[in-house]
Amino acid sequence: MSDTRTAAPDAASVLEAARLVLERDLTLALRRRGQLVQPLAFFVIVTTLFPLAISPELARLREVAAGVLWVAALLASLLALEFLFRDDAYDGTLEQYALSGQPLTGLMFAKTAAHWLLTGLPLALMAPLAALSLGAPPDAVPGIVASVAVGTIALSLIGSIGAALTLGLRRSGVLLALLTLPLSLPVLIFGARASELAIHGEPYVAPLELLAALAVLGITLAPLASAAAVRISLE
Amino acid sequence: MREFLDMGGYAAFVWPSYAVTLAVVVLNIVWARSSLARSRAAARRRLAAAGADA
Amino acid sequence: MSWTWFHRLASPPHIYRLAQRLTPWFAWPAGALILAALYGGLVLAPPDYQQGDGFRIIYMHAPSAWMSLMVYTTMAVAAAVALIWRMKVAHAVAASCAPIGASFTIAALVTGSLWGEPMWGTWWEWDPRLTSELILLFLYLGYMGLRGAIEDPQRADRTSAVLAVVGIVNVPIIHYSVTWWNSLHQAPSVMRLGKPTLSTPMLVPLLMMMLGFTLFFVAVLLVRLRGEILVRERSASWIREVLST
């Protein structure tokens, strides 16, 4: 694989390749809007289940709103992971990436970024609606958007590892959840705490910073792991 | 002896703890030996198959 | 620097025979230590001044919890070595670790719960150590699930090795976040009984038990390792020799 590479690609061409991958993924995804909407619809439905299961009293729902929101966001982002590599693995695109001579780590990062733009960001924009319906005050909206937006960066990165590890397995759905959920628990803890503080009108910067730290750590390490896993799956 | 078994009233918690953990210890011995035996049997079968081909 | 000695040392037949020869050297001391520690912990150690004889659960709980983490670390280190130097034997070590570690994690959870009932008055308390232990069990289950789901043995080895390394990076993060989370919600978990402060006659059996469990782990690992090496080995000549004994 790497033997075919004559010289190390320079930084500019790496960025260019990453940008092309990002653009390609976004274009393809926008052609298949149904797939995009599914995790969002799932998110809305799950958050609707709780008032029906617990109680319609907003005062009671407000107590659990942050937790409900985050569990729903975690499951929705998990649901979207199956699409991350599946089509590219089927049609050989991943193999092309691995052989392209560009560092696979950078391309994995671009794919994960596209995945976040297509699922994490829309989830962050939907989250306030769900939060308001669960009794959160309008003042909480910025905090909720920020925490879900930052938290889903980390979730997408962790998820990209799980998706890469389960590449090519026939029934990967439950296994993907089993691999990804335990690793996502710190994100859930900090994210839910940030949202909870926002809902109660308290400063939420501390857990948000911890979330950002997780996201940065994920940005530096997760693409390495998922690139390694993709290479193994292609051998 | 009875006093020892009673564990100062904590018998219902102490003895099950010891039973479960020591059961895990014993099971690990059993599992390890049976997994080695399985691998040896499989290797033997492979050798026999290779020998039959040759 | 010459690496030939290293490769000879790590060659499957050599490791297989070495594992066979070393097993009793770990197994017997482990058995002796565990028996001595049982006697020390159940008979010689005085009851705790607050928890009475209930504290004796520590001689099972703490060594099990220690095993759960130590075995996971061993597994991840072996996996990293296997990925970096492409060593089949290290993959075999990692594969051998998972069931051992998972079983002791379950023991730690059960004994923690049994200890929780007299201490906290509930069978399950979301205390940070038990919660971390539960998540560690999930990590083990994920590892074993992934390994079981991949049919090609080489791919199973290398894929699960990546997961083990990712997992060990996450273990401290998970532990920190769980501790942080727990510190926010301290109020309901008021301990009915104080934590035991261990005097020397209480501490010595505990350390002996932990050492005994560690040696036991090595002995069981060596037995499993031989099986895992056989599964991965195709070269007939030395296998024939080994199987005849």
Side-chain angles (χ1 to χ4, degrees):
Chain A
M1 270 178 223
S2 52
D3 315 341
T4 55
R5 199 189 303 165
T6 45
D10 57 276
S13 79
V14 173
L15 280 180
E16 179 64 14
R19 193 182 60 82
L20 286 174
V21 169
L22 183 71
E23 259 177 29
R24 174 180 176 278
D25 276 20
L26 292 179
T27 319
L28 281 179
L30 290 176
R31 268 192 224 144
R32 273 169 296 189
R33 288 201 190 84
Q35 229 175 53
L36 278 182
V37 177
Q38 278 173 23
L40 292 175
F42 177 82
F43 175 74
V44 173
I45 291 171
V46 169
T47 48
T48 313
L49 295 178
F50 284 87
L52 297 172
I54 299 173
S55 128
E57 281 172 63
L58 286 183
R60 266 183 86 184
L61 287 173
R62 194 176 301 129
E63 288 307 304
V64 292
V68 169
L69 203 69
W70 267 90
V71 171
L74 184 60
L75 295 178
S77 79
L78 187 69
L79 196 70
L81 281 180
E82 283 202 85
F83 311 127
L84 181 52
F85 295 124
R86 201 187 51 190
D87 295 341
D88 284 356
Y90 273 136
D91 64 13
T93 311
L94 276 185
E95 201 150 9
Q96 295 293 326
Y97 287 169
L99 295 171
S100 68
Q102 299 291 344
L104 192 55
T105 313
L107 305 184
M108 284 296 131
F109 178 69
K111 279 195 73 64
T112 315
H115 181 258
W116 178 76
L117 286 172
L118 294 165
T119 61
L121 196 58
L123 273 178
L125 299 175
M126 291 288 282
L129 270 181
L132 291 176
S133 75
L134 294 170
D139 296 344
V141 167
I144 287 169
V145 173
S147 66
V148 177
V150 177
T152 45
I153 296 177
L155 289 182
S156 286
L157 288 158
I158 296 166
S160 75
I161 302 175
L165 287 170
T166 52
L167 259 178
L169 298 183
R170 236 176 285 147
R171 282 181 298 274
S172 61
V174 181
L175 187 60
L176 184 58
L178 188 61
L179 300 185
T180 314
L181 288 179
L183 301 176
S184 311
L185 292 180
V187 180
L188 178 76
I189 289 172
F190 298 138
R193 181 63 182 166
S195 302
E196 193 190 344
L197 289 173
I199 289 171
H200 290 282
E202 289 167 48
Y204 50 82
V205 179
L208 195 61
E209 280 172 350
L210 289 168
L211 268 187
L214 286 181
V216 170
L217 191 72
I219 288 169
T220 47
L221 295 181
L224 284 172
S226 44
V230 165
R231 276 198 199 286
I232 292 166
S233 80
L234 294 174
E235 271 170 10
Chain B
M1 190 63 192
R2 165 168 271 143
E3 199 183 332
F4 175 67
L5 287 179
D6 188 51
M7 274 292 147
Y10 290 107
F13 308 108
V14 173
W15 293 120
S17 306
Y18 278 72
V20 167
T21 310
L22 295 177
V24 164
V25 168
V26 172
L27 280 176
N28 263 292
I29 301 173
V30 174
W31 286 334
R33 296 180 71 126
S34 76
S35 114
L36 175 60
R38 262 199 314 276
S39 304
R40 283 175 70 103
R44 213 170 258 130
R45 270 199 306 277
R46 271 206 313 272
L47 279 185
D53 289 346
Chain C
M1 191 166 146
S2 160
W3 285 93
T4 48
W5 64 269
F6 183 70
H7 281 288
R8 202 171 52 239
L9 197 74
S11 79
H14 182 256
I15 296 282
Y16 187 97
R17 294 203 182 89
L18 193 66
Q20 193 163 18
R21 230 176 306 134
L22 285 179
T23 306
W25 290 93
F26 286 95
W28 291 113
L33 269 171
I34 291 173
L35 284 179
L38 278 177
Y39 185 71
L42 286 171
V43 181
L44 296 182
D48 183 63
Y49 78 103
Q50 271 194 310
Q51 294 193 21
D53 288 317
F55 98 100
R56 294 185 201 279
I57 295 175
I58 201 174
Y59 297 113
M60 296 283 102
H61 176 71
S64 301
W66 152 250
M67 286 286 270
S68 66
L69 209 60
M70 190 260 299
V71 174
Y72 197 91
T73 313
T74 310
M75 182 172 90
V77 170
V81 167
L83 281 179
I84 296 168
W85 287 293
R86 292 186 164 255
M87 268 171 65
K88 237 194 273 182
V89 170
H91 280 306
V93 170
S96 313
C97 284
I100 310 173
S103 61
F104 277 97
T105 312
I106 292 173
L109 282 169
V110 173
T111 52
S113 165
L114 283 165
W115 202 1
E117 168 58 28
M119 271 233 292
W120 290 306
T122 56
W123 290 104
W124 179 261
E125 180 68 34
W126 287 98
D127 109 302
R129 277 185 313 152
L130 275 185
T131 312
S132 294
E133 204 68 45
L134 184 64
I135 298 168
L136 193 60
L137 179 64
F138 296 156
L139 291 180
Y140 274 119
L141 293 180
Y143 177 89
M144 296 199 290
L146 184 63
R147 185 175 270 289
I150 305 174
E151 271 160 42
D152 177 56
Q154 273 199 346
R155 221 192 118 190
D157 271 349
R158 307 198 57 210
T159 310
S160 56
V162 173
L163 179 66
V165 174
V166 171
I168 199 76
V169 171
N170 267 277
V171 163
I173 302 174
I174 291 172
H175 183 76
Y176 170 77
S177 67
V178 167
T179 313
W180 185 87
W181 155 81
N182 189 261
S183 69
L184 302 172
H185 309 277
Q186 276 276 305
S189 80
V190 181
M191 271 200 242
R192 289 205 308 214
L193 301 166
K195 279 199 172 113
T197 40
L198 295 180
S199 60
T200 315
M202 295 168 158
L203 192 61
V204 169
L206 181 63
L207 296 177
M208 281 168 68
M209 191 66 89
M210 286 168 88
L211 183 62
F213 272 34
T214 309
L215 295 179
F216 175 77
F217 160 61
V218 178
V220 173
L221 176 69
L222 290 174
V223 173
R224 280 188 175 273
L225 177 62
R226 279 156 64 201
E228 295 287 345
I229 288 176
L230 280 184
V231 170
R232 285 167 180 73
E233 212 41 48
R234 297 283 161 202
S235 148
S237 57
W238 73 267
I239 293 184
R240 200 180 298 277
E241 227 174 277
V242 155
L243 287 181
S244 61
T245 56

